Amino acid sequence: MLAKLKSATYIGIEGILVDVEVDLSKGIPSFSLVGLPETMVKESKERVLTAIRNSGFSLPLKKITINLAPADLRKEGTGLDLPIALGIICASGYFEPELLKGKVFLGELSLDGKLRGIKGILPIAILLKEKGIKEVILPYDNAKEASIVDELSVYPVNSLIEAIEFIKGERKIEKFKFDKEKLFSELSIYDVDFSEVKGQKVAKRALEVSASGGHNVLFIGPPGAGKTMLARRFPTILPKMTIDEALETTKIYSCAGRLPPDKPIITTRPFRAPHHTISDIGLIGGGHIPKPGEVSLAHNGVLFLDEFTEFSRSALEVLRQPLEDGFVSIGRARSSVIFPARFILLASMNPCPCGYLTHPEKECTCTHGQIRKYLSKISGPLLDRIDIHIEIPPITYTEISSKKEEESSEKIRERVERARKIQMERFKNEKGIYFNAHMKQKHIKKYINISKESENLLKEAMEKLNLSARAYIRILKISRTIADLEESEEIKPAHVAEAIEYRALDKEYWINL
Amino acid sequence: MDKKEKGKFFQLVAEEYLKRNKYKIIERNFYTKKGEIDIIAEKNNLIIFIEVRSKKGENIKGYETVDFKKQKNIIESAKFYLESKNLTNKRDVRFDVISINFNEEEIILEHIEDAFREEKC
């Protein structure tokens, strides 16, 4: 007796279809699972057998053989419990194998036969849509997440018995409906606001440019100047996520098992602030079975590295690839996966070990060698990838005690959204490009329209400041964003000048040492 | 009663119980290299390999003494039996344990059907 049914699992953040074949034959009663199951899948044996017994079915007194095809792919995850259990019950003759056709089954079983939610539902749902599979039966916990994909009919069930009753047509289950538009229309509420930050005009402007065009920012300043305070308020001015962006980010969170239970889709840009003791693997992702790291969890959002120089050198250097390419590829002996990792890097650091090198009044107590050692932690190639370097001066008494109303996050965000709209219009035919900072070489030629005057200015700056070719391109991109913020089609000299201003700071410290 | 006689006696008790419950006994004390199967019986077209275990007193149940190693030996012996009768993969098979606890006054018999199965990873 043979039962065949479809299920799915995921590798990295991509779904894969799995055929579950169950055969019962005469002989010494036993249970064997073949088809490269990983530990999690192997353990499903105990859950499945106990759940079948506790659901009131007798375990067939047969040699049970289960095959997971394609047999050359390693399968992980607990979602194969339900199809294996259904296969065994079907092959024992409780219902016709015909009834299983055209449906996909997912779900982890608990020992009493109840169903539990699994990870990685969104990538699986997207895969099913691509493969033209219409019906999916899964645990209630996963119903919202799966129904994000419109074309899919999602039938949620609570237990193994409910699933069997539904298959046999003895139980009516309504197609799960869920209003995802509502999630997107909800505005995020923050308990911080830019109006709370006094002064620091230049830094605020830099963050505005960064949020508009997706550029990386580095803050350098003495302790207490407000670097962290500014950074914490950065999410409040970020533009809204589009559905495509939200799906990309949610895919990663889904496979990492980090989706909040009440929210099936990530609609606000993530803001990740790992502590500086993080390892390179924690930052970039990895492990025996590769898992996404902080850079991927910050996809389409912000990665905030406070105390940039305190991070271990190896952790900082692994940032180079994602900063340039927007993804990380992690290779392990058993599998190699690609995680998207396109984020705005927001870093903050002190100018020297004591922190007061740039302070107008306080004396710096560091030696020349100490400062050189401190700054050399941030390598040239890494610095080159950060578009905007901003010096944060300590705030003066008159500034902090001023009663002047500062601009609110909402006002800044309005401007950001306007600049963002221009970019969306510009890149509407370019797949996977959402911000000016994401532009590739061919797009720069196509979309950057620079005046003769501006070009001369840029040429002069290149020669004077010894800028690299990468710096040149990054300046062009920032100029484009600044022009967008002013709703100007052409890049004017003033825009280029501001962009160069953002690049110049690193030279002050790094070149003279 | 020495140990051997005791084993024989309780095996007869178990056989009596099985007969009353409409089992057909087809083999007794089937010896192989791996060990011995106490009783091989048949019911409802099923071949059943039965291990009889007896224990004095109430503290340790008879079935508790059928450990993993013993189960493995029984399964191996069963395979040998099926092969010798040319029945491998032709009949359904079950492994039972009959556990007997006794004292001076009474004998308590417990029959555990489908007591264990072959473990495969």
Side-chain angles (χ1 to χ4, degrees):
Chain A
M1 276 163 287
L2 183 72
K4 264 184 169 178
L5 57 165
K6 283 208 183 303
S7 185
T9 180
Y10 63 92
I11 294 178
I13 58 156
E14 297 304 326
I16 42 168
L17 269 185
V18 178
D19 283 317
V20 179
E21 300 167 351
V22 180
D23 177 67
L24 302 186
S25 60
K26 289 182 176 171
I28 308 264
S30 66
F31 183 101
S32 52
L33 186 60
V34 296
L36 281 186
E38 287 286 345
T39 329
M40 264 190 274
V41 181
K42 271 188 200 161
E43 283 177 350
S44 76
K45 172 191 165 184
E46 303 298 332
R47 287 192 297 271
V48 166
L49 297 184
T50 318
I52 289 177
R53 262 193 228 110
N54 289 339
S55 299
F57 296 95
S58 62
L59 212 51
L61 209 57
K62 301 275 182 187
K63 200 165 107 187
I64 304 169
T65 313
I66 288 153
N67 180 33
L68 307 173
D72 60 339
L73 273 176
R74 288 189 180 275
K75 285 135 210 113
E76 60 160 325
T78 51
L80 296 170
D81 287 5
L82 178 67
I84 291 174
L86 286 173
I88 293 174
I89 291 168
C90 171
S92 338
Y94 283 98
F95 55 87
E96 286 300 309
E98 286 297 312
L99 297 171
L100 296 169
K101 284 225 167 100
K103 299 183 180 80
V104 162
F105 303 90
L106 300 165
E108 176 185 328
L109 283 168
S110 67
L111 295 182
D112 58 358
K114 290 248 157 43
L115 280 176
R116 284 208 182 102
I118 59 164
K119 292 198 263 181
I121 284 289
L122 184 66
I124 292 173
I126 291 170
L127 171 87
L128 298 184
K129 178 188 140 189
E130 283 165 9
K131 297 270 176 189
I133 293 167
K134 292 274 180 315
E135 288 175 52
V136 59
I137 291 158
L138 41 65
Y140 254 99
D141 297 350
N142 294 130
K144 270 189 190 171
E145 197 183 330
S147 53
I148 290 168
V149 177
D150 290 324
E151 290 83 349
L152 224 52
S153 309
V154 178
Y155 298 102
V157 288
N158 274 323
S159 64
L160 181 58
I161 295 190
E162 266 190 44
I164 292 167
E165 286 171 349
F166 175 67
I167 293 165
K168 289 169 85 174
E170 290 166 2
R171 175 187 280 268
K172 273 256 167 302
I173 292 176
E174 287 292 310
K175 226 164 87 177
F176 192 83
K177 285 222 171 65
F178 162 70
D179 186 12
K180 69 171 172 183
E181 302 301 327
K182 207 177 132 220
L183 271 181
F184 279 93
S185 57
E186 279 169 17
L187 267 183
S188 327
I189 297 155
Y190 299 97
D191 49 4
V192 288
D193 198 280
F194 262 107
S195 59
E196 296 156 2
V197 185
K198 303 272 180 197
Q200 303 296 17
K201 273 231 145 59
V202 182
K204 283 181 183 169
R205 167 71 179 172
L207 286 179
E208 183 181 331
V209 173
S210 160
S212 306
H215 305 288
N216 302 322
V217 183
L218 173 64
F219 285 154
I220 306 170
K227 300 184 295 293
T228 310
M229 196 176 176
L230 282 161
R232 291 277 165 207
R233 280 151 185 80
F234 191 39
T236 63
I237 60 163
L238 290 173
K240 265 197 211 154
M241 264 179 147
T242 63
I243 290 194
D244 284 342
E245 284 178 309
L247 285 180
E248 280 178 15
T249 306
T250 308
K251 252 178 152 180
I252 299 168
Y253 275 72
S254 175
C255 291
R258 300 230 188 188
L259 275 183
D262 52 326
K263 234 181 146 195
I265 185 162
I266 307 268
T267 51
T268 47
R269 294 182 185 277
F271 183 84
R272 305 292 302 181
H275 190 253
H276 60 247
T277 50
I278 191 171
S279 69
D280 46 348
I281 299 294
L283 204 54
I284 211 83
H288 175 62
I289 298 162
K291 290 266 176 301
E294 288 292 336
V295 292
S296 298
L297 293 174
H299 183 60
N300 285 326
V302 179
L303 180 68
F304 174 45
L305 302 182
D306 207 358
E307 312 298 349
F308 202 36
T309 41
E310 299 301 325
F311 282 81
S312 76
R313 176 133 208 166
S314 60
L316 290 179
E317 293 309 311
V318 293
L319 283 175
R320 286 194 205 180
Q321 194 209 354
L323 279 177
E324 197 63 27
D325 304 332
F327 63 84
V328 278
S329 77
I330 295 164
R332 293 290 183 269
R334 295 188 150 190
S335 56
S336 148
V337 296
I338 288 178
F339 289 122
R342 200 167 47 198
F343 52 89
I344 298 174
L345 175 66
L346 177 55
S348 81
M349 59 180 276
N350 299 127
C352 65
C354 84
Y356 294 104
L357 182 64
T358 55
H359 201 281
E361 277 111 43
K362 268 196 180 158
E363 202 67 53
C364 172
T365 55
C366 308
T367 64
H368 197 261
Q370 271 179 316
I371 299 172
R372 179 192 284 263
K373 200 176 157 211
Y374 184 75
L375 294 181
S376 71
K377 266 212 143 164
I378 313 299
S379 67
L382 185 60
L383 197 67
D384 213 23
R385 285 166 170 83
I386 300 175
D387 322 67
I388 302 176
H389 317 136
I390 287 290
E391 193 180 342
I392 311 277
I395 204 153
T396 59
Y397 177 74
T398 36
E399 275 177 309
I400 201 161
S401 60
S402 114
K403 293 274 182 297
K404 210 185 103 206
E405 194 65 37
E406 295 283 340
E407 203 173 22
S408 73
S409 293
E410 206 188 322
K411 277 223 173 103
I412 304 174
R413 194 169 60 229
E414 270 169 29
R415 288 200 299 271
V416 171
E417 291 281 9
R418 254 204 314 277
R420 168 100 166 113
K421 214 169 248 162
I422 296 171
Q423 292 172 58
M424 263 154 75
E425 188 57 34
R426 177 179 302 142
F427 302 126
K428 66 178 177 218
N429 295 326
E430 309 284 352
K431 204 175 168 280
I433 302 228
Y434 305 120
F435 285 105
N436 285 336
H438 303 161
M439 276 193 282
K440 304 254 160 59
Q441 207 53 44
K442 59 174 181 195
H443 306 122
I444 289 173
K445 252 198 183 146
K446 203 164 151 193
Y447 297 114
I448 292 188
N449 167 17
I450 187 165
S451 72
K452 195 88 201 128
E453 252 177 291
S454 313
E455 211 160 327
N456 287 338
L457 181 66
L458 196 50
K459 192 178 153 212
E460 210 173 301
M462 281 278 288
E463 281 160 4
K464 269 206 184 129
L465 294 166
N466 268 327
L467 294 171
S468 70
R470 184 187 285 122
Y472 168 75
I473 286 165
R474 290 198 172 237
I475 287 174
L476 279 180
K477 290 181 189 172
I478 304 173
S479 321
R480 179 69 266 167
T481 305
I482 296 168
D484 286 342
L485 271 169
E486 279 171 23
E487 292 169 63
S488 152
E489 182 48 41
E490 197 189 45
I491 299 171
K492 296 190 177 125
H495 306 147
V496 175
E498 191 183 336
I500 295 170
E501 191 65 30
Y502 291 141
R503 280 307 292 202
L505 193 72
D506 57 312
K507 308 301 164 201
E508 240 172 72
Y509 299 107
W510 269 268
I511 292 262
N512 296 339
L513 285 167
Chain B
M1 261 197 308
D2 71 2
K3 219 175 164 182
K4 238 181 185 168
E5 278 175 48
K6 194 185 85 186
K8 255 189 185 148
F9 171 72
F10 285 115
Q11 180 154 346
L12 285 174
V13 173
E15 276 177 28
E16 189 54 38
Y17 160 84
L18 288 171
K19 275 181 206 154
R20 277 192 210 167
N21 284 287
K22 305 207 168 74
Y23 286 82
K24 191 180 141 207
I25 291 167
I26 48 181
E27 202 93 44
R28 291 181 183 83
N29 300 345
F30 181 78
Y31 286 94
T32 69
K33 231 169 139 183
K34 288 275 178 181
E36 182 199 5
I37 299 174
D38 294 335
I39 302 167
I40 303 175
E42 212 177 1
K43 189 185 179 182
N44 300 339
N45 211 12
L46 211 61
I47 298 179
I48 302 148
F49 297 92
I50 299 155
E51 172 72 11
V52 182
R53 281 295 167 119
S54 56
K55 209 80 195 153
K56 190 173 178 180
E58 289 285 310
N59 296 336
I60 302 169
K61 297 277 189 189
Y63 56 75
E64 286 175 48
T65 61
V66 187
D67 58 2
F68 185 68
K69 206 173 143 197
K70 182 70 191 163
Q71 292 175 15
K72 240 173 115 180
N73 287 338
I74 296 170
I75 289 167
E76 288 307 313
S77 306
K79 280 182 184 169
F80 184 82
Y81 172 81
L82 291 171
E83 200 56 56
S84 69
K85 302 279 179 207
N86 202 12
L87 290 174
T88 306
N89 293 346
K90 284 180 187 155
R91 297 285 291 272
D92 285 333
V93 174
R94 196 174 81 195
F95 295 96
D96 288 9
V97 173
I98 289 186
S99 152
I100 295 170
N101 283 73
F102 63 94
N103 52 33
E104 278 73 20
E105 286 144 24
E106 56 175 355
I107 293 174
I108 299 161
L109 183 146
E110 267 180 278
H111 182 192
I112 299 157
E113 293 181 8
D114 195 12
F116 52 89
R117 294 179 176 215
E118 189 177 15
E119 291 278 333
K120 273 187 190 166
C121 47

